[in-house]
Amino acid sequence: MTTDIESLWVFALASKCRAFTQENFACSLLIMFLAWLAMALFYWVHSGGPAWGKYRFKRGSSFGTAKSIPGPRGLPVIGSMHVMMSLAHHRIAAVAEACKAKRLMAFSLGDTRVIVTCNPDVAKEILSSSVFADRPVKESAYSLMFNRAIGFAPYGVYWRTLRRIAATHFFCPKQIKGAEIQRRVIASQMVTVFGEQKQGCFCVREVLKRASLSNMMCSVFGREYELNSLNNEVKQLRELVDEGYELLGTLNWTDHLPWLADFDPQKIRFRCSKLVPKVNRFVSRIIAEHRAQNSQNNLDFVDVLLCLQGSDRLSDSDMIAVLWEMIFRGTDTVAVLIEWILARMVLHPDVQSRVHDELDKVVGRSRAVSESDIGELNYLTAVIKEVLRLHPPGPLLSWARLAITDTTIDGYHVPEGTTAMVNMWAISRDPQVWMDPLEFMPGRFVAKEGEVEFSVLGSDLRLAPFGSGRRVCPGKNLGMTTVSFWVASLLQEYEWLAFDEKSVDLSEVLRLSCEMANPLTVKVRPRRNMET
Ligand code: HEM
């Protein structure tokens, strides 16, 4: 951009001269275009594509003899943007395999330098390094205020304060336990709604999303709604979440090609500017109602934020960002994961029947499951882990990381400002990491006598669906508790059956999370009523 503006004075000066004819002008334009093309091709020939070439050219000799990270060149100027367009985790894995760069691969998204790993050891190196504690700038995230919430706040004092507040007052074991009643109420509403499906077969997704949103609205805003009531506030929030979800999940070309920014070709900035005032109005009204009630009991997250004192106190706009993010993050991930689990249960009746046997043994059929039973439901926990392995909701760990300073990863020099991704989907399907990786075998997660149970919470990078290190998902325990309890309740009450042979299609679609491309359609057969 600067070069273009700087070159204008040449034309201004030349226009004063007699030699400046139309032909000369056209000739100059042609020369400039050829120079630009030559430069673009020069950047492009480097391993990893144009963004890496530009960096090496600019750093010149200071880059020294550092060896290049292997990777595809992609196309001139745009690099490998096509890789990110649909099912990016599949495409990245295929390209890494083809480039023999599974440990570490470099590629370019326009002007953005990216590294990606499909290897657990290198993933650990990246995620546990303090150098990668930041997130790359994403215009939609900034427009939607997420830079003032935990997920996209730059690494620093503000982000640390938010994580501490959330860890102490929202994600702590006491708070999670305190919300057990609300999860139980919603679980029993789900059971009722599924039982009332008269048409024989039905789609589970809508109910799971409503349940998940209801749960978050209760924890965050203190609002309780009947699952099958058509409440206007729920409908409104659902629309806001869906729109934000689509905006954040879309690959925004202007994030990587800054010269496109003025044009907003995908209308992302425009749509964000329409959405934000609606979110502000919605959340501000709820904050105002809490202020008017002046609750001292710290029942929900709004109360908690309003009670903060001193340097922890947040401005209203920051509070809106934090509350909106909690609703946003907590709703979708849980619903997406439960749909995958139910799909696998329908597809593998033998596994489902083992879960039923375990439920009968631990809980029996005379009462509903309670959260205290979950610790004894080892096979069910193994089933959830196996589904997380084959269908991680964030196959590329949702949001990438950004290098704050120059560093070395797997022996390669990685410059400051490089975006780093971990392809968790590829790691958890790698035959060198997992035996028979494409087989659905929950038994692999049942600890044998004397063995330590496999933790999916970020300590073992062979399967870390919640990420790892400083930016690990703070909602991992809440997420696992909710998913385990709701799945146990749904399986305790019903046998989940295929409607026809197309009932379960494991094709994926990658939005912000990786969902089933074709929503799961099932039939259910009550289990507990059969006994009574
Ligand atoms: C099945 C459930 C969930 C999955 C699979 C999941 C997955 C993830 C992943 C992969 C990340 C990125 C971690 C990294 O960069 O290392 C993340 C971040 C995050 N998640 Fe979750 N998540 C789940 C549930 C939740 C819930 C219930 C909440 C809150 C209510 C939540 C809030 C967040 C937040 C705020 C971040 C950003 C953390 C930061 O940047 O410091 N998540 N999640």
Side-chain angles (χ1 to χ4, degrees):
M1 216 51 169
T2 339
T3 335
D4 292 347
I5 290 163
E6 278 166 1
S7 58
L8 287 179
W9 71 267
V10 178
F11 288 103
L13 200 67
S15 64
K16 305 280 177 213
C17 300
R18 284 208 193 123
F20 193 76
T21 60
Q22 265 188 359
E23 291 84 69
N24 288 351
F25 178 66
C27 208
S28 310
L29 278 184
L30 184 68
I31 290 170
M32 276 177 67
F33 172 72
L34 289 175
W36 173 84
L37 192 68
M39 214 56 193
L41 291 175
F42 176 73
Y43 292 152
W44 170 67
V45 291
H46 285 83
S47 163
W52 287 93
K54 195 184 269 185
Y55 173 79
R56 281 192 158 238
F57 177 72
K58 288 198 172 149
R59 288 291 291 263
S61 56
S62 69
F63 200 82
T65 51
K67 55 182 176 161
S68 301
I69 307 169
R73 291 201 298 262
L75 294 170
V77 185
I78 61 169
S80 302
M81 291 288 276
H82 61 283
V83 166
M84 298 302 289
M85 292 218 310
S86 79
L87 296 183
H89 50 300
H90 291 222
R91 289 177 180 223
I92 290 175
V95 177
E97 184 88 50
C99 294
K100 298 197 173 27
K102 277 167 66 179
R103 284 186 72 85
L104 197 65
M105 178 172 89
F107 66 100
S108 297
L109 295 177
D111 283 357
T112 309
R113 287 184 309 277
V114 185
I115 53 166
V116 63
T117 182
C118 302
N119 175 282
D121 301 326
V122 183
K124 188 155 192 89
E125 215 180 321
I126 293 174
L127 296 179
S128 60
S129 156
S130 59
V131 170
F132 290 98
D134 217 339
R135 301 261 186 227
V137 174
K138 197 167 162 58
E139 189 190 358
S140 52
Y142 272 61
S143 311
L144 295 175
M145 307 175 293
F146 282 115
N147 57 319
R148 299 302 295 169
I150 299 174
F152 276 96
Y155 180 59
V157 176
Y158 180 70
W159 169 78
R160 267 195 295 273
T161 307
L162 292 186
R163 280 215 57 137
R164 179 171 45 76
I165 294 169
T168 321
H169 302 288
F170 193 70
F171 296 119
C172 63
K174 188 172 157 227
Q175 204 69 23
I176 295 178
K177 179 102 190 91
E180 182 180 343
I181 299 171
Q182 120 205 353
R183 282 189 294 274
R184 199 182 319 137
V185 170
I186 297 172
S188 91
Q189 288 175 358
M190 266 196 286
V191 167
T192 310
V193 173
F194 284 134
E196 284 168 358
Q197 305 293 328
K198 298 277 184 280
Q199 67 272 45
C201 79
F202 58 90
C203 234
V204 296
R205 181 174 295 179
E206 182 53 31
V207 178
L208 294 176
K209 288 210 167 170
R210 264 192 279 149
S212 212
L213 182 62
S214 227
N215 189 31
M216 289 319 292
M217 281 186 88
C218 193
S219 301
V220 178
F221 295 152
R223 295 284 215 259
E224 285 173 39
Y225 299 104
E226 275 289 319
L227 207 56
N228 49 4
S229 77
L230 290 171
N231 184 285
N232 207 27
E233 201 168 58
V234 182
K235 195 169 152 263
Q236 222 184 328
L237 188 60
R238 178 71 189 277
E239 281 165 14
L240 300 182
V241 170
D242 285 350
E243 172 72 348
Y245 196 73
E246 204 182 308
L247 288 168
L248 262 191
T250 306
L251 172 73
N252 187 356
W253 282 65
T254 62
D255 284 341
H256 309 290
L257 299 167
W259 45 270
L260 271 182
D262 287 344
F263 306 106
D264 189 20
Q266 294 152 283
K267 294 275 168 280
I268 289 185
R269 193 178 313 140
F270 173 75
R271 282 169 65 189
C272 288
S273 70
K274 293 261 170 238
L275 179 59
V276 167
K278 291 185 197 164
V279 172
N280 273 327
R281 265 198 305 278
F282 188 99
V283 185
S284 297
R285 194 185 64 234
I286 290 178
I287 295 176
E289 283 170 19
H290 278 69
R291 277 208 174 99
Q293 284 159 7
N294 198 18
S295 166
Q296 297 296 314
N297 297 334
N298 285 3
L299 295 172
D300 56 53
F301 202 43
V302 181
D303 292 324
V304 167
L305 296 187
L306 286 173
C307 287
L308 294 175
Q309 299 295 334
S311 59
D312 281 357
R313 207 169 172 75
L314 301 180
S315 70
D316 273 18
S317 60
D318 288 350
M319 234 188 298
I320 292 173
V322 171
L323 295 166
W324 158 233
E325 178 187 55
M326 285 304 166
I327 296 280
F328 194 83
R329 289 292 310 177
T331 298
D332 185 72
T333 41
V334 165
V336 166
L337 180 55
I338 298 180
E339 190 177 17
W340 280 118
I341 297 171
L342 292 177
R344 282 294 182 172
M345 290 300 89
V346 174
L347 208 56
H348 307 277
D350 51 326
V351 173
Q352 184 177 175
S353 116
R354 245 189 103 173
V355 176
H356 283 148
D357 290 348
E358 182 177 65
L359 281 161
D360 287 347
K361 198 162 142 235
V362 174
V363 187
R365 294 201 189 186
S366 59
R367 66 170 176 93
V369 183
S370 86
E371 279 191 12
S372 56
D373 297 317
I374 301 298
E376 286 179 70
L377 297 171
N378 297 330
Y379 190 69
L380 176 76
T381 308
V383 165
I384 296 172
K385 289 178 182 173
E386 182 68 343
V387 175
L388 278 167
R389 186 182 70 80
L390 285 168
H391 311 287
L396 295 171
L397 294 189
S398 309
W399 296 328
R401 305 286 190 92
L402 183 77
I404 307 169
T405 58
D406 284 8
T407 187
T408 303
I409 293 292
D410 203 31
Y412 291 101
H413 174 75
V414 175
E416 173 191 351
T418 301
T419 293
M421 293 180 191
V422 169
N423 193 340
M424 189 44 67
W425 178 88
I427 295 175
S428 56
R429 286 171 176 243
D430 186 341
Q432 284 165 345
V433 179
W434 295 95
M435 207 174 65
D436 300 326
L438 301 183
E439 298 298 315
F440 183 72
M441 301 193 307
R444 69 174 94 228
F445 287 110
V446 178
K448 305 202 176 56
E449 208 147 309
E451 271 180 9
V452 182
E453 221 185 281
F454 189 102
S455 167
V456 292
L457 299 183
S459 51
D460 191 330
L461 268 292
R462 284 176 296 164
L463 178 58
F466 298 94
S468 182
R470 285 172 173 74
R471 287 273 183 173
V472 67
C473 173
K476 56 190 179 173
N477 288 320
L478 176 62
M480 277 304 267
T481 305
T482 311
V483 169
S484 312
F485 176 56
W486 284 357
V487 169
S489 304
L490 295 176
L491 284 164
Q492 156 84 336
E493 299 294 337
Y494 298 114
E495 193 179 337
W496 297 77
L497 305 159
F499 173 64
D500 57 25
E501 68 279 5
K502 288 201 209 108
S503 182
V504 186
D505 173 358
L506 294 179
S507 315
E508 304 170 341
V509 59
L510 183 60
R511 297 200 174 98
L512 196 53
S513 301
C514 189
E515 303 179 20
M516 294 182 73
N518 296 306
L520 174 67
T521 312
V522 291
K523 288 188 297 189
V524 288
R525 188 182 299 146
R527 291 179 73 243
R528 285 217 298 142
N529 294 350
M530 291 189 305
E531 283 288 288
T532 50

